[in-house]
Every structure is written in C-alpha cells, then in structure tokens.
Amino acid sequence: MKIIWPAMVLWLLFTAAMAQGAPQPQEEGESITQQQKRLSKILKRPVYQRWKLRQNPELEAERKSYLAHTARSILEDIWKGFVKFWKWIWRQVKKLNINLPDLPQGPEGISDYLRMGAWGAFAALLVVGGLYLYGLRKRLGKRIRLAKVLSREKVRQALEGGEALAMDSGGWMEEAERMGAEGDFRAMYRAIYLGLLSGLHEKEIINYRKNRTNWTYVNHYKGAPEDRAEFGDLTGMFDQVWYGQKTVGGGSLEDVKARAGSLLSRGKVSI
Amino acid sequence: MDEKIEGNGRERKLDEAAKALAMVKTEIKKAVIGQDEALDQMLVTLLCGGHAIFEGVPGTAKTLMVRALGATLSLDSKRIQFTPDLMPSDITGTNVFNLATSSFDLMKGPVFTGLLLADEINRAPAKTQSALLEGMSERQVTIDGTRHTLSPLFTVFATQNPIEFEGTYPLPEAQMDRFLMKVKIDYPSQEAERAIMERVNQGRPSDRLESLGIIPVMNEEDMGGAQAALPGVRIEPGIVTYILEVVRATRNNESILVGAGPRGSIYLMQASKARALVMGRDFVTPDDVVAMVPPVLGHRITLSTDAEIRGSSTEEVMGYILDKVEVPR
C-alpha cells in the first residue's frame, strides 16, 4: 500500500507534464474546414485584434487601465488551463479502466485515501503552477507591450515623442496606413521609419536607444552589407522627408513601405 | 507664387554654395591627407564667419591646411609665431616716419590678410593677445587711434600646443569663448601616413602647393555668397530644441563646473547649419549637431575638480551628455 503513494505522485507529475504538450481532444462531431482554420488564425493575429479593439470605443476605458486588463486576462487563462487540465486527467483515468481496490473499512482507511488525494492534488498544482510561471515569463512582456499599444493615449505619445520602441513594427505600419489615408504623407514616412527601427531592434540587428542618431544605427548595422546599404538609403530618405521637410507623394511611400517590409522580413546575418 | 520663387532662389543659392564647397574640399585634399574631419570644421568656421583654435601635436598639417585653404579661396594667408616678446604692433602694424615725404606711412602688420595662422597663441602676453582679439571680434584694428578695416573674411586659426604649458599665458575663458570652435587635430591613420610618405618619396612634398596642382575654385565674393546663403539652411524646431537641451545639460552636470553660455547655443546652431551645407544638404540633421558638439562646446565648459581628479576629459563628459539627451525623430 505504501509503494502506491510515490507511484501515484510520479504518475501525476508525468501526466501533468504530458498534458502541456498533448493535443487537445476535439469535441465529438466537430469538423473544421481548412478555410475556417485560416480565418481563425487571421482573427487571432495581434494586428487584427488591435485593429478590432481600436474600432470599439467602449473598450477604450478598459484599455486605459491596461495593467488591470492584463492581470485579469492572465488569471482567466490560468483558470481555463486548470479546468482543461483536470478534465483531461479525468478522461485519462476513465480510459485506464483500473479496478480500484476496495476501500478499507472504518475511519482509518478513509483518512488514508483523503491524505493521498490531497498530496496528489498538491503535486499537480505545483507542476501546473511551475509550467504556467515559465510560460508567463515569456508572455507577460508581450502582453504588456500589446496593452500599451492598445491605448490611444500611448499611441499619441509615441507619435509625438518619436519613441520607436513604444510600439512594435506592426503597430507603426498600421499608424502609417492611417496617416496615409488622412493624406499626411510626411507623418506616414516617419511612422514607417520608426516601425523599421522598432522591427530591426526586435531582431537585434540594431541596438535602439533614443539618444542615438539614425546614422549611428546605419554605421553599427549588424546585418548583411547590402541590407545595410538599403537601410542607409531609407535613412537618407527619412532625413530628406522629416528633417528637410521635402514633399512626398503617397505612391512613392507605398514603394518605401514595401522596401521597409522586405528589409524587416530578412533575417540577421552575422558578419 | 512669390514664396515659390523665393524658395527656388534659396535652393539654387544653397546648391551653388554646396557644390563650390565640395570643390574646395577636393582641392585641399590634394595637399592634406587624412584630416577630413578637421578640414570640414575649418570650412564650417569660415562659413560661420568665426575663428578656430587648433589643438594637436606638431607636424599634423595645421599650417598646410591653412595655406591650402587660402590657395583654393584666392585668399592671402599669413602666419605669426607667437613669442613672449611679441608686441601688439608686430601683429597690427605701425606708422613709420617717411623721410622722403615727411609723413607717417602705415606699415601693415600680418593681421591685414584673409587667413591668419597664429601659432602658439598662448606664448604671447595678454596685451598682445588682446590686439588680435579686437581684430577677431570686430574685423578692424586701431593703430595710433585710427581704425583700419580688415578683410570681411578675416579668419584666425590659432594653435595651442597641448603638451608644453611652461612659460605660457593661457587664454582666459572669456577669450576662449570668442573662438567658434576648437579643432582637435589627431595623428593621421596608418594608410594616410603611408600616402603622405609615398608622395614625398615621389618628389612632391606637401609644402610646395604649386607642385600639387591646387587651383583656386572660389574667391572672396563666392565665399561671401555662401555665408549669405547659410541662413537659408533649414533647421527643424525639434532640432533647435535638441540643441537647447544639449547646451542646457552642460549647466546641470556634476562633472562640469561652468557650463556653456547662450553664445554656445547660437554657435552650435550656426555650426550645425554650416556643417549641413558642407555635407551638401540644405537642412540640418541631428548628426550635424552631434558632430559639432565637441568642437563647439568642448572649450566652453570647465570641468569640476572631481572630474579632473578622476581623469575625465571634456570629450568624455560631452559624450556622456549626448547619451542623456533624446534625439528628435
């Protein structure tokens, strides 16, 4: 009887670890077409979600307290994961179809089972908690960044201050679209360039700091030489448009946007 | 419509000035190898109508640069070696009695020139230095109570030996402030030094300018035109704020005892605009400001005793300040 306890704990630990990587069972009769899957992926994209949330003025107040919003969504995720995990455990137990020994008679036997159950639950909680903390560390930074992006006030501040890292490159490109639609092509180019800086920093091709000049990034570019030349070209154009107040048309900016996107899509090349 | 014509005129003038300055640089580089940054700073000084103080070890082409600059601009260039016994009249000139005409004739001193290289300015006493400083600030000198106007392009390039200070009269802070910039001239790179040696080996030493084929590409009038075009160089309000923040940061830094004054802000803005023109642009970028901060502000600040004991240099402190101020973009 005493050998069963550690075996149970080990089994719980093993099943909990497997649960994280195991494919989630589908509901009976559920059939998802490829098209629906693609649509589902698109709808889950942060870019789409940000756009959708910005269209909804009711969510604006919620976005302002983004930390509370972030904390609540994390707790909801933890609870959902916990419920999913125990459902899965229960299904596995049912599948095993184990002939459980007869419960010992009398109050002593019941307390043994209760103690065993409590230890099992505790071990499972520890495992689930550990795994979530690990995942949380990665996701938290991203969520806070996302929440920052969602705030209109933060977007306004980022635009005024020209702080490239206030938004990710996707966010800047969306702002560029909006400015292009408003006919402010100079501001559109600026948003594209700030998005480029933000994206290159995220890829560790440049080390962005707000007290460095644009040509410092060009001179210390860690990518391929031809990419560096392209970045230098885009920087020179930004200088002309932003500092030199040269007029630009919307058509040429679409080309610039494509060039910036192409530069961002290329990976880091060690030289 | 008028504004557009005015705008086109501005662009044309700036374009002409930028092209002429690029030609000047090309000509001077025939004589001076490996001192591109110092050369740009000299042109900035000329464009702003200021004066510069050179700091560098002997033999780093200081005199040659001034001579080559004079040759390309069709300007006279003279050199004075400052010594402890140099008198003000040795610089400005003096009236000499002419027995034949029974009248006093003015014997003009070396200050009546376009470009003047004042070698080791801190070797002469304060009285002699101030005679030169009057010419620098007012572009005129007083000889025996009579005022004489100097060339409108009169520019002083003074040198100070950074190693030997014994028996010298260091320029006071107020007089240092009159120099637009302090040009630091470093040793040339290995490749540049090799090129200099090869040229001497080919029998074309740098001190014989005519053998290097330098031709005058601008004259006094052209340079005056370039100076007049300078206000047309565009500077974004964000960059003006950046200049202000950098200068004001020198006043609130614990490593600095005395920060740069308002003249520092004005000169930094002017120098940034001139650098933009020298680089062939009609607008200022933050890189122009960053490049001009050490030469324009370096000699306007006094380091605190603590910073000096720590062994900090003005360049390090200026770098630290630039690291703290946000670049506008």
Side-chain angles (χ1 to χ4, degrees):
Chain A
M1 187 66 190
K2 282 183 182 177
I3 301 166
I4 289 174
W5 286 16
M8 281 291 283
V9 171
L10 279 172
W11 179 77
L12 275 168
L13 284 168
F14 174 70
T15 50
M18 291 297 286
Q20 288 295 313
Q24 297 304 312
Q26 289 184 354
E27 294 298 324
E28 272 186 27
E30 185 187 7
S31 70
I32 302 169
T33 63
Q34 289 293 318
Q35 202 178 358
Q36 279 174 323
K37 274 184 181 174
R38 270 206 304 277
L39 183 66
S40 155
K41 271 185 184 173
I42 290 167
L43 295 179
K44 278 177 188 167
R45 279 179 191 161
V47 173
Y48 174 76
Q49 286 180 2
R50 279 199 298 268
W51 174 80
K52 196 177 152 193
L53 285 169
R54 277 200 202 139
Q55 309 309 310
N56 190 348
E58 286 172 14
L59 290 172
E60 186 60 22
E62 194 179 346
R63 283 201 292 265
K64 280 183 179 166
S65 60
Y66 64 87
L67 275 175
H69 170 74
T70 308
R72 193 166 60 244
S73 63
I74 289 167
L75 282 173
E76 278 171 9
D77 274 8
I78 291 171
W79 175 247
K80 276 180 196 167
F82 185 74
V83 169
K84 207 183 275 180
F85 169 70
W86 279 111
K87 277 184 179 173
W88 186 79
I89 291 283
W90 182 243
R91 274 195 296 273
Q92 300 305 312
V93 169
K94 279 207 292 189
K95 273 184 196 169
L96 286 173
N97 210 8
I98 301 167
N99 289 323
L100 292 168
D102 294 335
L103 284 171
Q105 297 300 311
E108 244 182 68
I110 290 167
S111 74
D112 279 351
Y113 272 103
L114 283 174
R115 202 182 297 133
M116 192 173 76
W119 274 111
F122 179 65
L125 266 175
L126 277 180
V127 171
V128 173
L131 288 168
Y132 261 95
L133 279 175
Y134 175 73
L136 205 63
R137 195 173 64 84
K138 278 190 171 179
R139 277 183 290 169
L140 193 64
K142 196 176 176 184
R143 274 166 190 273
I144 288 175
R145 271 208 307 279
L146 185 68
K148 272 184 182 174
V149 168
L150 294 178
S151 160
R152 276 182 201 280
E153 184 58 22
K154 292 280 170 192
V155 172
R156 191 185 62 77
Q157 281 174 10
L159 284 169
E160 276 184 5
E163 175 51 51
L165 296 192
M167 289 199 276
D168 58 14
S169 56
W172 281 115
M173 293 304 169
E174 279 173 47
E175 287 306 318
E177 285 287 332
R178 191 175 62 76
M179 287 157 182
E182 286 171 8
D184 189 352
F185 297 117
R186 195 164 158 256
M188 180 185 176
Y189 193 98
R190 181 171 175 245
I192 293 171
Y193 189 75
L194 291 172
L196 184 61
L197 289 181
S198 176
L200 291 174
H201 175 81
E202 209 166 300
K203 288 190 162 201
E204 296 180 358
I205 296 173
I206 62 167
N207 183 12
Y208 179 84
R209 281 189 203 164
K210 56 188 179 183
N211 44 37
R212 288 182 178 166
T213 63
N214 299 335
W215 285 94
T216 313
Y217 303 129
V218 178
N219 294 335
H220 294 96
Y221 192 82
K222 290 177 194 162
E226 59 271 20
D227 289 352
R228 183 182 164 180
E230 175 78 343
F231 181 45
D233 201 23
L234 290 170
T235 303
M237 284 166 74
F238 172 74
D239 283 355
Q240 295 266 342
V241 172
W242 190 246
Y243 302 123
Q245 298 175 12
K246 299 277 192 282
T247 45
V248 280
S252 60
L253 284 184
E254 285 306 319
D255 174 49
V256 166
K257 198 178 169 194
R259 283 171 68 185
S262 162
L263 192 61
L264 278 176
S265 67
R266 281 173 241 162
K268 177 180 164 182
V269 179
S270 54
I271 47 171
Chain B
M1 186 70 185
D2 288 346
E3 270 179 29
K4 198 174 179 183
I5 292 167
E6 204 175 286
N8 289 339
R10 168 194 157 270
E11 279 175 16
R12 188 176 47 77
K13 277 181 190 170
L14 287 170
D15 191 43
E16 279 173 8
K19 279 178 184 163
L21 288 167
M23 282 162 70
V24 168
K25 274 165 75 172
T26 311
E27 287 302 311
I28 298 176
K29 279 180 188 174
K30 288 179 183 172
V32 182
I33 299 172
Q35 295 291 0
D36 293 0
E37 205 176 328
L39 184 56
D40 288 342
Q41 291 174 6
M42 278 176 76
L43 288 173
V44 166
T45 307
L46 259 178
L47 274 174
C48 293
H51 308 276
I53 190 151
F54 285 159
E55 192 174 276
V57 290
T60 43
K62 294 187 284 285
T63 312
L64 178 66
M65 274 200 279
V66 175
R67 282 182 58 212
L69 184 63
T72 52
L73 298 177
S74 320
L75 286 174
D76 285 339
S77 60
K78 286 181 182 160
R79 177 176 171 275
I80 313 173
Q81 176 65 51
F82 278 59
T83 53
D85 59 350
L86 193 77
M87 300 296 288
S89 57
D90 294 332
I91 295 172
T92 56
T94 186
N95 285 313
V96 178
F97 188 72
N98 188 338
L99 282 172
T101 58
S102 296
S103 64
F104 283 96
D105 287 347
L106 176 65
M107 297 290 286
K108 288 181 176 175
V111 79
F112 289 90
T113 184
L115 307 178
L116 179 69
L117 182 70
D119 234 347
E120 295 192 278
I121 192 169
N122 53 344
R123 291 229 174 263
K127 195 177 175 183
T128 312
Q129 288 173 1
S130 68
L132 182 65
L133 291 167
E134 185 203 351
M136 283 167 58
S137 59
E138 294 166 30
R139 289 205 161 77
Q140 62 175 26
V141 285
T142 309
I143 303 166
D144 292 340
T146 311
R147 283 184 180 173
H148 299 273
T149 310
L150 302 178
S151 159
L153 285 182
F154 172 67
T155 308
V156 173
F157 294 104
T159 72
Q160 279 196 126
N161 191 325
I163 301 162
E164 216 178 318
F165 286 107
E166 205 175 319
T168 60
Y169 303 86
L171 288 172
E173 302 305 325
Q175 291 190 358
M176 284 293 279
D177 200 44
R178 289 172 192 276
F179 286 95
L180 175 78
M181 58 170 67
K182 187 175 191 176
V183 180
K184 200 154 190 175
I185 300 183
D186 217 338
Y187 291 112
S189 64
Q190 191 175 343
E191 292 78 37
E193 204 163 342
R194 185 186 295 276
I196 296 165
M197 286 167 72
E198 277 173 8
R199 200 169 59 187
V200 174
N201 203 28
Q202 288 163 4
R204 294 189 302 131
S206 303
D207 53 355
R208 292 212 303 267
L209 291 181
E210 62 283 0
S211 71
L212 301 169
I214 292 179
I215 51 163
V217 287
M218 273 178 108
N219 56 29
E220 206 169 322
E221 197 181 327
D222 296 335
M223 188 44 98
Q227 284 180 342
L230 192 62
V233 175
R234 192 169 276 150
I235 184 162
E236 228 228 329
I239 297 181
V240 176
T241 311
Y242 179 56
I243 290 172
L244 267 175
E245 283 175 4
V246 169
V247 174
R248 292 184 79 82
T250 65
R251 300 170 197 165
N252 307 312
N253 191 292
E254 59 179 17
S255 297
I256 298 173
L257 188 67
V258 183
R263 195 181 277 160
S265 317
I266 296 163
Y267 279 177
L268 184 56
M269 186 178 70
Q270 290 294 93
S272 303
K273 288 173 88 170
R275 185 185 185 264
L277 195 56
V278 169
M279 293 291 154
R281 277 181 275 108
D282 64 350
F283 58 89
V284 179
T285 67
D287 291 275
D288 294 321
V289 180
V290 170
M292 287 296 109
V293 163
V296 174
L297 297 186
H299 63 290
R300 291 174 208 282
I301 61 168
T302 310
L303 291 183
S304 66
T305 319
D306 285 351
E308 281 185 357
I309 290 168
R310 280 201 305 271
S312 303
S313 64
T314 47
E315 284 80 15
E316 281 171 5
V317 176
M318 295 315 299
Y320 176 77
I321 285 171
L322 283 173
D323 269 355
K324 292 281 168 195
V325 182
E326 200 173 323
V327 172
R329 61 168 68 84

